[in-house]
Amino acid sequence: MSMMQHDAVICLLGPTASGKSAAALALAAHLPIEIITLDSAQAYREMDIGTAKPSAAERAAVPHHLIDILSPLEAYSAARFREDAIGLVQEIRARGGVPIIVGGTMLYFKALREGLNTLPAADEALRLQLREDAKREGWPSLHARLATLDPETAQRLSPNDSQRIERALEVVLAAGMPLSSAHNEAAAPAPFPLLPIALVPSVRSELHARIAQRFEAMLQAGLVEELEGLKQRYPLNADLPSVRCVGYRQAWDYLAGLISKTELRDRGIFATRQLCKRQLTWLRATPGLRVIDCLADDRNERVCALAQRLLQRNPMRSTSPDTAPTFDW
């Protein structure tokens, strides 16, 4: 099919538990796709339950990339994702495949689409998390955390210089590079058009119910036991990006005796809902978005039809959404 050589790349986006993976796998029945995973948590090896990774059978049926590429001791970044994704698009096309970007890590999508200034813009959600950590642990503790990630900057700052510690941690956690080596540079857009399709809920409360069911299923499947095994194999600590992933952070606190099993469940569900809220906020600000109700019975069919139609069309003719339903998001 002529669409196989199309310059544009479909991006299937959406909040957690919206059915992105299932829709992408359905598309594989129509196109020789290879999935580039837009998920900062699925990059970690041996973290399977809490990240809802595709099964071995699904990965055997459709090639998936950027899964299991990191040790739980490592850090990934938007800049590295951008570099990896651009290279993978070229490789997949070279062997006649159709690259599809699938996931919900919206900072990575923004970095790919718009490029990155070395110094990232303020991330309010990350700042709120850092401030919550400071209330619980104190700014000297966050200064010590900064000293492990960016010792040069930490050496220049007082352990109680909350504003500068917060910004330095924000930069290193969001951009994956220390503030001490960062420079403002012009951002460069992706070298190919990106066509984003978003799966969002027409009724957010229904997606919240799915989130609760999925987190309970993760607990039943052994999320806590998975983290226990990781702690035995790796010198983990609470400040690692892998441990700070939603679900694992709450399981860590449970294993440390800080919360009960009931609190683990409740906090895990709440944290996942907050992640969902942040993802929807990012999506609302994404231009050229084509929106499909993730709760619709024919969701997968609609994704397949829209993706094929977009790949057959010159993406420069129109950037307006194909559908514009009203959603509670």
Side-chain angles (χ1 to χ4, degrees):
M1 297 176 65
S2 61
M3 69 177 69
M4 304 308 176
Q5 301 304 320
H6 204 285
D7 287 341
V9 176
I10 295 291
C11 300
L12 186 55
L13 313 174
T16 185
S18 60
K20 300 179 295 293
S21 295
L25 291 170
L27 185 57
H30 304 274
L31 297 171
I33 69 168
E34 296 190 30
I35 294 173
I36 299 172
T37 304
L38 182 74
D39 190 308
S40 59
Q42 291 188 1
Y44 292 107
R45 292 188 292 271
E46 301 181 66
M47 294 175 57
D48 302 330
I49 296 172
T51 63
K53 284 180 187 171
S55 67
E58 290 168 338
R59 293 167 67 178
V62 179
H64 286 67
H65 303 277
L66 303 186
I67 293 179
D68 292 344
I69 60 172
L70 300 174
S71 155
L73 298 176
E74 297 178 274
Y76 204 44
S77 69
R80 181 173 168 187
F81 169 81
R82 174 182 166 82
E83 180 180 353
D84 290 345
I86 290 172
L88 282 166
V89 166
Q90 296 169 343
E91 292 173 13
I92 293 167
R93 284 177 172 162
R95 51 180 171 261
V98 177
I100 304 291
I101 297 171
V102 181
T105 303
M106 297 304 301
L107 176 64
Y108 288 9
F109 172 74
K110 182 178 175 66
L112 176 61
R113 191 182 207 187
E114 302 176 11
L116 274 175
N117 287 320
T118 307
L119 286 176
D123 184 330
E124 190 61 29
L126 180 55
R127 285 190 173 184
L128 288 173
Q129 181 63 61
L130 290 171
R131 289 168 188 175
E132 289 175 4
D133 291 349
K135 287 180 182 179
R136 186 175 57 253
E137 306 168 15
W139 284 107
S141 176
L142 268 69
H143 182 268
R145 184 189 306 177
L146 178 63
T148 67
L149 299 171
D150 184 0
E152 183 177 336
T153 298
Q155 189 174 16
R156 293 190 289 103
L157 301 180
S158 162
N160 290 302
D161 190 345
S162 59
Q163 183 176 356
R164 290 181 174 84
I165 292 171
E166 177 185 272
R167 179 56 178 159
L169 280 171
E170 183 184 18
V171 169
V172 74
L173 292 173
M177 65 185 306
L179 181 63
S180 56
S181 64
H183 302 281
N184 284 314
E185 298 176 355
F192 37 75
L194 298 177
L195 304 177
I197 300 173
L199 294 178
V200 301
S202 52
V203 181
R204 194 185 298 189
S205 61
E206 292 190 27
L207 183 61
H208 284 178
R210 288 187 181 184
I211 286 171
Q213 292 171 0
R214 189 169 81 158
F215 191 75
E216 289 173 347
M218 287 177 177
L219 292 175
Q220 292 295 323
L223 173 60
V224 172
E225 292 76 14
E226 182 176 71
L227 181 56
E228 281 184 309
L230 289 169
K231 290 181 69 176
Q232 293 173 6
R233 294 189 293 277
Y234 298 96
L236 300 180
N237 65 73
D239 294 329
L240 286 168
S242 59
V243 176
R244 297 176 69 83
C245 291
V246 171
Y248 291 95
R249 175 62 179 269
Q250 291 72 34
W252 181 278
D253 288 346
Y254 170 72
L255 289 174
L258 301 176
I259 60 176
S260 68
K261 192 68 173 285
T262 299
E263 288 175 312
L264 162 60
R265 174 196 174 278
D266 292 344
R267 292 189 184 190
I269 292 171
F270 177 77
T272 309
R273 288 178 176 176
Q274 290 298 105
L275 171 61
C276 173
K277 181 179 179 180
R278 293 194 297 271
Q279 290 168 319
L280 290 172
T281 298
W282 275 95
L283 287 168
R284 279 197 298 267
T286 300
L289 199 65
R290 285 84 173 174
V291 176
I292 291 176
D293 184 2
C294 70
L295 304 175
D297 292 338
D298 62 346
R299 175 200 63 206
N300 293 351
E301 291 81 0
R302 292 170 65 186
V303 168
C304 293
L306 178 56
Q308 292 179 89
R309 186 163 70 250
L310 290 174
L311 289 177
Q312 289 173 323
R313 177 193 304 170
N314 181 349
M316 301 308 293
R317 292 178 185 172
S318 172
T319 57
S320 61
D322 283 52
T323 57
T326 299
F327 287 149
D328 175 24
W329 65 320

